[in-house]
């Protein structure tokens, strides 16, 4: 059974810092990995999708890497801003089944 | 392009009642999945629909059911509500396969009293 772990569970940083969020998964036979952002009480916003054959994806200040063999992904946020404050979730697809989510990293960027 | 829409956004029900939630996917998307999010269990998969057929089902009791219409809109129904059914219910829309990029709606917040 696929399990996804995200570390740290919570993170508080001053504005302007670069930061790294970690995601690990137990079954390396994934189709892809997707990073989401969730604001309190809201739905999920897709940030980046990395196919299993890719090593990384970039969108603006966000960069996500994938090391399938070791079961790890990182989300790098450059020059953090208060508007980046949210919960960040990673999710993987194994086989043709549903997304399996981690429990998220709650990020607070202090102005 | 319009995003995923879910109605209603908020619902308050009492134990024993039933509820129906609706999800309209992004135009052109043929698949819809439903997830339940609670503080204790996180995000859990309920079921997936493609072309009006349930393709996958999560580990939830039979009180949870769903369907998909020919226009890809989907509904989920929960009968005999329990306090533990209080949650944010999210639907995801994607082209066809679960490994396509998934786009989520704003969710329906269900409170069971």
């Amino acid at each position: 059974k696929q399990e996804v772990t995200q570390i740290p569970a919570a993170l508080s940083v001053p504005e302007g810092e670069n930061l790294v969020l970690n995601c690990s998964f137990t079954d390396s036979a994934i189709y892809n990995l997707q990073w989401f952002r969730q604001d309190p009480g809201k739905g999920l916003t897709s940030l980046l999708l990395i196919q299993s054959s890719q090593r990384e994806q970039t969108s603006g200040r966000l960069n996500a890497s994938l090391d399938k063999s070791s079961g790890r992904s990182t989300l790098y946020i450059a020059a953090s801003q208060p508007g980046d404050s949210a919960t960040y979730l990673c999710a993987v697809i194994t086989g043709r089944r549903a997304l399996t989510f981690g429990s998220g990293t709650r990020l607070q960027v202090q102005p | 392009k319009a995003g995923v829409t879910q109605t209603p956004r908020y619902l308050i029900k009492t134990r024993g009642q039933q509820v129906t939630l609706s999800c309209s996917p992004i135009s052109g998307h043929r698949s819809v999945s439903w997830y339940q999010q609670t503080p204790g269990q996180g995000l859990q998969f309920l079921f997936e629909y493609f072309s009006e057929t349930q393709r996958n089902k999560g580990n939830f009791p039979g009180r949870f059911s769903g369907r998909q219409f020919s226009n890809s809109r989907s509904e989920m129904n929960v009968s005999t509500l329990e306090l533990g059914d209080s949650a944010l219910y999210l639907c995801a829309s994607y082209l066809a396969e679960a490994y396509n990029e998934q786009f989520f709606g704003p969710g329906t917040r269900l409170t069971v009293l």
Side-chain angles (χ1 to χ4, degrees), chain A residues 32 34 38 46 96 98-99, chain B residues 35 37 45 97 99 101-102:
Chain A
N32 65 36
Q34 199 166 350
Q38 185 174 33
S46 178
R96 296 184 127 193
L99 291 168
Chain B
Y35 291 82
Q37 186 177 31
F45 170 70
E97 296 294 341
Y99 49 75
E101 187 171 7
Q102 299 199 21

Side-chain angles (χ1 to χ4, degrees), chain B residues 42-103:
Chain B
L43 279 147
Q44 293 185 284
F45 170 70
L46 282 156
F47 24 65
E48 177 197 26
Y49 287 89
F50 172 77
S51 289
E52 303 180 64
T53 301
Q54 187 179 89
R55 190 160 60 178
N56 283 311
K57 189 177 189 306
N59 190 26
F60 278 81
R63 299 184 298 106
F64 292 81
S65 63
R67 59 179 175 167
Q68 187 180 33
F69 302 95
S70 59
N71 62 358
S72 296
R73 189 178 71 86
S74 177
E75 289 181 347
M76 66 163 281
N77 184 76
V78 188
S79 62
T80 319
L81 284 166
E82 301 177 359
L83 295 178
D85 297 333
S86 294
L88 181 66
Y89 290 87
L90 294 161
C91 94
S93 156
Y94 41 104
L95 281 170
E97 296 294 341
Y99 49 75
N100 296 138
E101 187 171 7
Q102 299 199 21
F103 300 90

Side-chain angles (χ1 to χ4, degrees), chain A residues 10-83:
Chain A
L11 184 62
S12 181
V13 300
E15 182 177 3
E17 271 204 11
N18 302 324
L19 53 100
V20 174
L21 308 182
N22 296 292
C23 171
S24 61
F25 45 94
T26 54
D27 184 350
S28 62
I30 64 169
Y31 274 88
N32 65 36
L33 183 145
Q34 199 166 350
W35 281 95
F36 295 91
R37 165 189 173 136
Q38 185 174 33
D39 293 285
K42 303 289 178 65
L44 309 183
T45 300
S46 178
L47 297 173
L48 290 164
L49 172 73
I50 311 178
Q51 304 287 354
S52 60
S53 58
Q54 297 176 312
R55 295 284 295 189
E56 64 179 276
Q57 277 284 4
T58 298
S59 176
R61 294 183 293 108
L62 305 179
N63 175 275
S65 67
L66 174 64
D67 183 344
K68 208 174 78 157
S69 60
S70 68
R72 292 181 184 177
S73 175
T74 60
L75 179 65
Y76 175 83
I77 303 177
S80 58
Q81 302 170 358

